[in-house]
Amino acid sequence: MTSTLVHNITTLVTNDPTWETGPLGLIQNAALVIEDQTIAWVGRSQDAPPTDTAHDAHGRAVIPGFVDSHSHLVFAGDRTQEFNARMSGQAYAAGGIRTTVAATRAASDEELGDNVARYLAEALRQGTTTLETKSGYGLTVHDEARALRIAAEHTDEVTYLGAHIVAPEYADDPAGYVDLVTGEMLDACAPYARWVDVFCEKGAFDGDQARAVLTAGKAKGLMPRVHANQLTYGPGVQLAVELEAASADHCTHLTDADVDALANSRTVATLLPGAEFSTRAQWPDARRLLDAGATVALSTDCNPGSSFTSSMPFCVALAVRDMKMTPDEAIWSATAGGAAALRRTDIGRLAPGARADLAFLDAPSHVHLAYRPGVPLVSEVWRAGRRA
């Protein structure tokens, strides 16, 4: 087994609380050792053990690879006109998804696979080393199953979202569509997925329908996550906590009871600032959640309608500027928080035993991701111990 020393790191973000420098476990003048795909040692440069090879970080900061725990990458088509109209004053509503459904159904497997690979590569260049993605733009048994099969060829974190909206063919029979999602469609899709999700929202699925979808998914061995409380107040967050979902995603409109429920559960509040940026909607109140003790993750929500960005650095900057997070909190939420939202302990941190996922920044500190918004600071990415 070959060992590699990464040294001359100005600031290393470990997310390891054993380093008594706050939640980020910061180490100055740091180094780390990689063996095979994992971190074997972390510490100060002067204490580094001998290794087979060495890699000079040239005084850059190093952070864990970003963990993007919410995206929708299996799609075709373009919604530029919708975005342009929205930026010209039209309101955002869930119904725009139907435009992408039509384009996705018409696309070939090759086209969909190429799109997923392209957006994953785009995210990787910006430091994202783990990315979850969903179905939800097929809404037929065949199209949902093929979306998940294609997604599973590119990432281990795959989510069944047959309950994105009611399929156009079932517009007059939403109960019939829920029966399909929880029956034949679930049977076809479960072998490719790890998670089950539902858009619990006005214009999509109500609380009872969402419960049926998530309960059926759990019975098939899929772990739940929920699109919750994005556009209005609703039952999504409470349902997520009740069913022990890994995450409640969006969390824009929260009551005090919702905040308390999240703070007293393992369910992560995943905030998606790209969606608010792209829809000019109300920002989630990250400060309220953090002060209550909830675990918060940040993610891109990369999708063609409401958040067409794959940039976690951009979302970090938005969270600091508009969601009242500190730079340290935003970095933790974009790495360790995302790992918690995926119930993973092997990613989102740089400590012995963790997967060697590193993002090098052309800056002396992680704070520059918010301090210099829009600047491509990620200069080098390693995934599972290898330079990507």
Side-chain angles (χ1 to χ4, degrees):
M1 184 181 296
T2 300
S3 59
T4 300
L5 174 70
V6 180
H7 64 104
N8 196 14
I9 302 170
T10 298
T11 304
L12 177 65
V13 174
T14 69
N15 289 337
D16 182 354
T18 61
W19 292 92
E20 296 179 0
T21 51
L24 293 188
L26 297 177
I27 308 174
Q28 306 298 328
N29 301 315
L32 58 84
V33 174
I34 299 170
E35 291 183 356
D36 195 15
Q37 298 182 1
T38 62
I39 303 294
W41 177 90
V42 171
R44 295 181 175 85
S45 286
Q46 63 266 31
D47 301 323
T51 57
D52 299 311
T53 62
H55 181 78
D56 192 340
H58 296 291
R60 292 173 291 177
V62 173
I63 65 173
F66 293 117
V67 180
D68 189 346
S69 62
H70 183 127
S71 78
H72 305 252
L73 300 187
V74 189
F75 69 88
D78 180 272
R79 284 160 68 181
T80 302
Q81 290 182 345
E82 176 190 322
F83 176 79
N84 190 40
R86 190 163 63 242
M87 293 300 102
S88 302
Q90 295 183 17
Y92 171 66
I97 293 167
R98 294 182 180 87
T99 303
T100 301
V101 169
T104 302
R105 288 179 177 180
S108 67
D109 288 10
E110 182 180 14
E111 181 181 355
L112 294 177
D114 287 348
N115 281 346
V116 174
R118 176 158 58 96
Y119 296 126
L120 281 171
E122 183 179 276
L124 183 64
R125 290 195 299 271
Q126 299 174 88
T128 298
T129 50
T130 301
L131 193 147
E132 177 271 1
T133 200
K134 311 174 192 296
S135 65
Y137 291 125
L139 309 186
T140 67
V141 173
H142 166 75
D143 287 303
E144 286 295 296
R146 75 165 179 151
L148 293 171
R149 172 176 50 79
I150 290 166
E153 293 171 357
H154 297 276
T155 179
D156 294 332
E157 299 295 346
V158 178
T159 300
Y160 168 48
L161 184 59
H164 201 180
I165 59 168
V166 174
E169 298 83 358
Y170 286 83
D172 297 324
D173 185 18
Y177 186 66
V178 172
D179 288 342
L180 181 69
V181 169
T182 58
E184 182 184 357
M185 186 183 289
L186 175 60
D187 291 341
C189 290
Y192 302 109
R194 183 180 180 214
W195 306 96
V196 59
D197 198 347
V198 59
F199 190 9
C200 185
E201 186 62 68
K202 183 179 179 180
F205 298 89
D206 65 25
D208 290 340
Q209 293 168 330
R211 182 190 303 278
V213 170
L214 297 173
T215 302
K218 286 185 74 173
K220 279 287 189 179
L222 304 182
M223 293 179 284
R225 47 201 327 109
V226 184
H227 281 63
N229 300 55
Q230 177 187 5
L231 306 178
T232 58
Y233 293 96
V237 164
Q238 295 289 339
L239 183 61
V241 171
E242 175 193 335
L243 297 181
E244 300 180 331
S247 66
D249 298 21
H250 288 289
C251 295
T252 306
H253 299 275
L254 301 179
T255 65
D256 289 344
D258 292 333
V259 174
D260 289 343
L262 288 165
N264 291 287
S265 74
R266 289 184 64 200
T267 300
V268 175
T270 299
L271 308 183
L272 311 169
E276 279 69 41
F277 177 87
S278 296
T279 61
R280 289 181 176 159
Q282 172 184 322
W283 296 100
D285 192 343
R287 183 81 271 133
R288 182 184 178 200
L289 287 161
L290 290 164
D291 289 348
T295 301
V296 172
L298 289 175
S299 184
T300 64
D301 192 17
C302 185
N303 75 81
S306 61
S307 183
F308 203 5
T309 179
S310 59
S311 175
M312 288 292 280
F314 175 64
C315 291
V316 165
L318 289 179
V320 172
R321 168 62 180 81
D322 292 305
M323 288 164 41
K324 303 178 183 177
M325 298 181 82
T326 69
D328 284 10
E329 288 168 340
I331 292 294
W332 190 94
S333 294
T335 53
L342 295 175
R343 298 275 169 91
R344 298 275 295 270
T345 59
D346 60 323
I347 56 176
R349 62 192 182 96
L350 296 175
R355 197 171 75 184
D357 292 349
L358 323 174
F360 294 71
L361 307 180
D362 275 338
S365 166
H366 61 283
V367 177
H368 280 237
L369 288 168
Y371 181 40
R372 304 193 68 208
V375 177
L377 295 178
V378 176
S379 58
E380 186 177 332
V381 181
W382 291 40
R383 189 176 186 277
R386 295 188 177 186
R387 187 168 181 173

